[in-house]
Amino acid sequence: MPYFDAASTAPLHPLARQALLSALDEGWADPARLYRDGRRARMLLDAARETVAAELGARPDEVSFTTSGTQANQLGVLGALAGNHRNGRRLVHSAVEHSSVLHAAELHEAAGGSVHSVPVDRQGRVSAEAFETAVRVPGTALAVLQSANHEVGTLQPVAEAGAVCAAAGVPLLVDAAQSAGRLEIPGGWSLLTASAHKWGGPAGVGVLAVRKGVRYRSPLPADEREAGRVPGYVNVPAVIAAAVALRAVRQEAAALNPLQRDRIDRLRGELPRLVPDLAVLGDPEGRLPHLLTFSCLYVDGEALLGELDRAGFAVSSGSSCSSSTLTPSHVLAAMGALTEGNVRVSLPPDCTDADIDLFLDVLPKAVATVRAKLDPPSTERVGDDTLVLDTLGRRCPIPVIELAKYIGTVPVGGLIAVLSDDEAARLDIPAWCEMRSQEYVGETEAHRYVIRRLS
């Protein structure tokens, strides 16, 4: 089964597997103890910390290990805000940060702090100028910017943001979960987070690096381990395996990245030709080499993932209908893109050209199968130039699908009113209108979205 979901979790690197098995025998003891096995575990932990620090551009004493990238983000955000509270209580982040950052921001806001979200363009990139404007507002205590977006792969202007933050005296936390191991980490960060299972290490290991001189106070009760930043016992064997994997993938990146970029470029070029109404998302150039996201218009994302799974492909989606929460993707919404019918392909290191050939053969058939199963809604003609589509009680993308089907049945200048009680329709219908050069009149009353046909 071709595995095309490396951005969720990469397969365990072979060298990491060997290191993990060996470390279970050699590094099982408590590294805080002074007896022989404890000292040996400590030596192995220190060596792993030095490796990770060197690969991420940090000092060993700046690096702490967490239980996940999520924990690293949340500790980093809340700890930096606590350490810099005398400068203010304002947090700045981009609109497309990982949900762990957004949840930490919600907690900060609930405790009386303020949060400012910087918008992104249609490629998913934040403007360095807009970021600078937000950071320079008095009372800003912390800025957060991911190195690369986890849903569409767009690289963010981290170096520019770092320079702006340094000039403003505001610490910058960079979430490098998607780029660590694959790309060089841009400079200018004050705090850095990463996650080992994204680069081929074992799950359960995250990284929180805090530059010397950056004010940080753990938001959790005091603990003597990991420089007081992260409480709890360190999983030494997993950390050792993570360090081995990071060094290995960094050494392999120079040869692997061009191959993966070429394969993704092939998908970017051929998929819109093979599948009608397919839109590729994210920046075509400034992006991660292994990741591609596209939206198949008029397709239910959950059904499409099911068809691809039956055909032997493991992919993921940012669509609300295929997530665990049924909440529209905040990343796609911030980009003004359709939040439904979305597929993310992220290639593992062992992907082959034959896998790409097979995907190009399978996807058009899967999309056609899903589209053929959709049922029409009830319709009602109001006057000579207005059509009402009743999709109440039906989940997106049905409202957009039916809008596309029926807009040609009204005259140019005529109106279609789509009735939908799915929250995603509030995002997807305006996005579709912009993509298809039709006029979105607005939500004239609750759950009634009006569109004017322009062409």
Side-chain angles (χ1 to χ4, degrees):
M1 177 185 224
Y3 179 73
F4 279 11
D5 195 23
S8 291
T9 189
L12 189 65
H13 194 283
L15 293 180
R17 182 184 300 275
Q18 296 175 18
L20 180 61
L21 294 175
S22 176
L24 288 171
D25 292 329
E26 301 295 327
W28 57 270
D30 186 345
R33 301 300 173 231
L34 298 179
Y35 44 75
R36 183 179 60 185
D37 290 332
R39 294 196 306 272
R40 181 167 56 194
R42 183 71 196 191
M43 291 175 59
L44 293 171
L45 178 60
D46 288 345
R49 197 184 310 275
E50 290 173 2
T51 296
V52 170
E55 299 298 340
L56 297 182
R59 292 171 30 163
D61 58 352
E62 295 173 337
V63 171
S64 298
F65 295 109
T66 68
T67 60
S68 66
T70 291
Q71 187 191 46
N73 275 338
Q74 294 181 343
L75 288 177
V77 169
L78 298 176
L81 286 169
N84 289 274
H85 71 280
R86 291 182 179 177
N87 295 333
R89 300 199 65 194
R90 186 169 183 267
L91 168 65
V92 171
H93 62 72
S94 83
V96 294
E97 295 302 315
H98 189 267
S99 59
S100 58
V101 171
L102 302 188
H103 292 155
E106 291 170 359
L107 185 63
H108 174 63
E109 195 167 29
S114 64
V115 177
H116 178 79
S117 177
V118 183
V120 297
D121 61 21
R122 292 192 66 83
Q123 305 291 352
R125 177 177 289 105
V126 69
S127 160
E129 292 77 15
F131 203 80
E132 178 178 8
T133 300
V135 165
R136 289 191 177 278
V137 172
T140 301
L142 177 68
V144 182
L145 185 63
Q146 59 193 191
S147 59
N149 185 257
H150 50 290
E151 287 195 31
V152 299
T154 297
L155 301 180
Q156 301 293 352
V158 171
E160 295 93 324
V164 164
C165 288
V170 175
L172 174 67
L173 186 153
V174 172
D175 175 4
Q178 288 296 337
S179 65
R182 298 181 182 277
L183 303 175
E184 290 288 342
I185 303 296
W189 55 268
S190 306
L191 301 96
L192 184 79
T193 61
S195 182
H197 73 100
K198 305 289 188 182
W199 69 59
V205 178
V207 176
L208 171 61
V210 181
R211 289 287 194 205
K212 282 294 181 183
V214 172
R215 294 186 180 92
Y216 179 91
R217 188 178 72 200
S218 176
L220 300 177
D223 190 276
E224 69 276 8
R225 297 179 188 268
E226 292 303 290
R229 300 187 191 113
V230 185
Y233 192 85
V234 180
N235 187 342
V236 176
V239 166
I240 293 168
V244 169
L246 181 58
R247 173 158 290 177
V249 297
R250 287 296 302 135
Q251 292 172 347
E252 296 162 359
L256 180 61
N257 285 350
L259 292 175
Q260 292 195 323
R261 179 172 284 275
D262 288 345
R263 288 170 180 143
I264 291 296
D265 284 343
R266 184 181 171 202
L267 291 176
R268 290 185 71 94
E270 295 195 29
L271 286 178
R273 179 179 60 83
L274 295 172
V275 181
D277 296 310
L278 183 146
V280 178
L281 306 177
D283 192 284
E285 297 298 330
R287 59 173 175 82
L288 292 169
H290 70 301
L291 192 150
L292 171 70
T293 300
F294 56 88
S295 289
C296 296
L297 304 183
Y298 328 130
V299 165
D300 180 275
E302 183 177 15
L304 180 56
L305 263 61
E307 286 294 326
L308 291 172
D309 183 46
R310 282 187 284 274
F313 279 92
V315 299
S316 64
S317 173
S319 300
S320 65
C321 58
S322 58
S323 72
S324 60
T325 63
L326 297 182
T327 301
S329 160
H330 70 278
V331 171
L332 301 181
M335 293 169 57
L338 288 173
T339 63
E340 303 293 340
N342 173 271
V343 174
R344 183 185 69 181
V345 169
S346 48
L347 306 181
D350 61 355
C351 174
T352 65
D353 290 333
D355 293 333
I356 301 298
D357 292 338
L358 183 58
F359 188 75
L360 289 170
D361 178 62
V362 164
L363 182 68
K365 300 172 185 176
V367 172
T369 298
V370 173
R371 285 175 175 167
K373 295 177 180 178
L374 296 170
D375 298 324
S378 61
T379 63
E380 176 186 357
R381 181 73 62 174
V382 180
D384 295 332
D385 60 354
T386 302
L387 181 69
V388 177
L389 301 179
D390 184 358
T391 64
L392 292 169
R394 304 184 69 183
R395 200 172 65 188
C396 276
I398 297 299
V400 174
I401 292 169
E402 302 309 330
L403 170 60
K405 284 183 180 179
Y406 285 92
I407 195 165
T409 67
V410 300
V412 173
L415 301 174
I416 286 186
V418 181
L419 309 182
S420 174
D421 50 6
D422 188 331
E423 185 65 25
R426 187 168 284 115
L427 303 170
D428 286 352
I429 290 176
W432 180 89
C433 289
E434 182 168 341
M435 292 173 67
R436 288 293 180 260
S437 300
Q438 308 296 344
E439 180 186 351
Y440 176 62
V441 177
E443 188 175 358
T444 58
E445 56 186 82
H447 309 313
R448 182 184 178 94
Y449 305 93
V450 178
I451 301 92
R452 187 186 309 278
R453 182 184 177 190
L454 299 181
S455 60

